[in-house]
Structures are given as C-alpha cells and as structure tokens.
Amino acid sequence: RHAQCPTINITLIALVVVAVVLGGCALFSRGHLALIFLAAGLFTALAALSVGINAEWLAAMDASVETWFGMHRSPRWQVDEADIFRFVGQPVHVVSAAVVCGTLLSLRARSAIPAVLVVGGVAVGVVVEQTLKAMIGRTSTAVAELQDHPPLAFEHSFPSGHVTGAAALLGMIAVCLGAGRSRAAKTALAVLVVAGVLFVAFTAVYARAHTFSDVIGGMILGGAIVTLGAAVLGVNNSGRSRESAGAVRGHGPGVEL
C-alpha cells in the first residue's frame, strides 16, 4: 500500500503536467488543431482526476461542498430536486432527446453529420462514463466525512452520468446550431449550454446523488467530447467548402468541359 502512494503521486503529477502542456498548445494553436489539443488536454485532466479520486484533498473538498449543501437544503425542495434529477437523468430520456434533436439538425443541414455527432457524442459519453465507474472505486475513507451517507454510497459514482449526458447532448446541439453563425450567436448558445449543465450538476449534488468531484468529472468528460465533436464538424465543413470552391472554379469562365 505504501509503495503505491509514490507511484500514484508521480502518475498524477505527470498527467497534470501533460494536461497543462496540451492546454497551452491549444492556446497557441488555431482552428481544428486547437480543438484537438484542447480535447486531449481535457481527457488527460479527467485521467488525472480519476487517478487522484481517493486523495485526501479531493475527499476534503467533497466533504466541504456536501457540508455547505447540507446547511442549505430544504426537505421539501430536496424531494422536488430528487424527482427532477431522476426524470432528467434517465438514459431513455437522454438518448431519445439525442435522436430527436440529431434528426432535426440533420434535416436542417441536409446532412447526416449532425445526427452522427449528437447521438454519437451522447453514446461515447455513456460508454466512457460507465467504463470509468466500473474501473474506479472510492474507498470508505474517501467518503467517511460526508454527512448521512453509508460508507460506500459513492464507491462507483465517478463521473456523473447525468452531467456527462447533459454536457454532451446540449454541447453537441449548440455546436451544430452554431456552425457558420456569428460570434454573438455562438456566445449565446454557449451560455445556454453552461446554464443547463450547471443546473444538472447542482441538482445532482443537491439530491445527494453525486459528490462535487463526480459532477466536475462529468463536466470535463462532456466538455472533451463536445470539443472533439466540434473539431470533427469543423474538418467536415472545411472539406465541403473546398469541394464547393473547386466546383465553382471548375465551372468558371474559360474552363473547357
């Protein structure tokens, strides 16, 4: 056990360093490459958080947030929030919304790409989230300070599937809707996405379904998926633009057909 601690610390530090480097590369890059660097940085940050899930500082942070929520919970509102949380988080609702929204976006764009991105993004989020939950487990010590919870209540709750699904669904819809629009429109869509994800994250912690680190993990995973999806959509749109430009030049004046 004692031999594992230095290894985990070294791995955690290495992952954090890599995530920071990738984030820096994203800042100094442009276009699709910047999005790819950012997605890689977010996935690396998620890996770092996964490795450190039982760290004392992370357990203390979860306990502090849970204590704050415990001081501000209302019994009546807690029941209402729990009902809303269960309704919003059911996989059938998220998948159904992804299929419907993806289909509508594809019809609007006359392309299958939006449907693939929206449904695929949600599906990837579910697979990665479920895989991490199966692989990563909290120790009883890591949740011992949380109020009114069984010792292993959050043994396999990282990351939050509700937050991951909301971020992937809302984010990919916004990416598809914002393609080719003005910066103001993209900003408005981003604000709506952030508000929706924060609402789901707040509800998850308020309803005592997840810890603070669970919802942070869900946000990072969802953000990574959306960023990668935005890069794919950008590459696809650039390719179509080049094809259109080539067709116009090929049929321009003075060109023999």
Side-chain angles (χ1 to χ4, degrees):
R1 180 179 177 181
H2 292 289
Q4 291 180 349
C5 292
T7 303
I8 293 176
N9 290 336
I10 292 173
T11 303
L12 178 60
I13 293 173
L15 288 171
V16 170
V17 170
V18 172
V20 171
V21 170
L22 290 171
C25 291
L27 288 175
F28 291 100
S29 302
R30 293 184 179 182
H32 317 316
L33 185 60
L35 292 174
I36 293 173
F37 275 130
L38 180 58
L42 289 172
F43 278 120
T44 306
L46 179 65
L49 191 58
S50 301
V51 169
I53 197 66
N54 287 308
E56 293 183 2
W57 65 269
L58 193 57
M61 181 180 66
D62 285 338
S64 297
V65 174
E66 172 59 27
T67 299
W68 186 91
F69 272 88
M71 295 172 58
H72 295 84
R73 283 190 182 101
S74 166
R76 180 175 65 86
W77 283 108
Q78 185 177 346
V79 173
D80 293 340
E81 291 283 327
D83 291 339
I84 295 173
F85 181 76
R86 282 193 293 268
F87 177 81
V88 172
Q90 289 183 11
V92 65
H93 293 156
V94 179
V95 173
S96 298
V99 171
V100 171
C101 293
T103 301
L104 293 175
L105 289 169
S106 286
L107 291 174
R108 169 181 172 271
R110 297 181 181 180
S111 169
I113 296 298
V116 172
L117 289 176
V118 174
V119 178
V122 172
V124 169
V126 171
V127 171
V128 176
E129 167 252 324
Q130 289 295 322
T131 301
L132 289 176
K133 282 182 176 177
M135 294 176 59
I136 300 171
R138 283 191 176 90
T139 63
S140 57
T141 304
V143 294
E145 297 182 15
L146 298 176
Q147 298 178 353
D148 303 324
H149 284 291
L152 297 179
F154 299 108
E155 183 180 10
H156 293 285
S157 63
F158 176 89
S160 169
H162 295 78
V163 176
T164 300
L169 176 61
L170 298 178
M172 288 313 309
I173 291 174
V175 166
C176 293
L177 286 176
R181 293 184 178 271
S182 65
R183 180 170 296 182
K186 292 179 179 179
T187 300
L189 289 169
V191 170
L192 291 175
V193 171
V194 171
V197 173
L198 288 178
F199 171 76
V200 175
F202 178 89
T203 305
V205 179
Y206 193 92
R208 295 182 177 181
H210 285 286
T211 65
F212 182 68
S213 57
D214 289 343
V215 301
I216 294 299
M219 290 179 186
I220 294 175
L221 175 56
I225 292 171
V226 172
T227 304
L228 195 58
V232 172
L233 182 61
V235 170
N236 177 74
N237 289 343
S238 296
R240 293 175 63 182
S241 298
R242 285 194 296 268
E243 290 178 1
S244 299
V248 171
R249 287 194 298 269
H251 292 80
V255 177
E256 295 183 2
L257 299 176

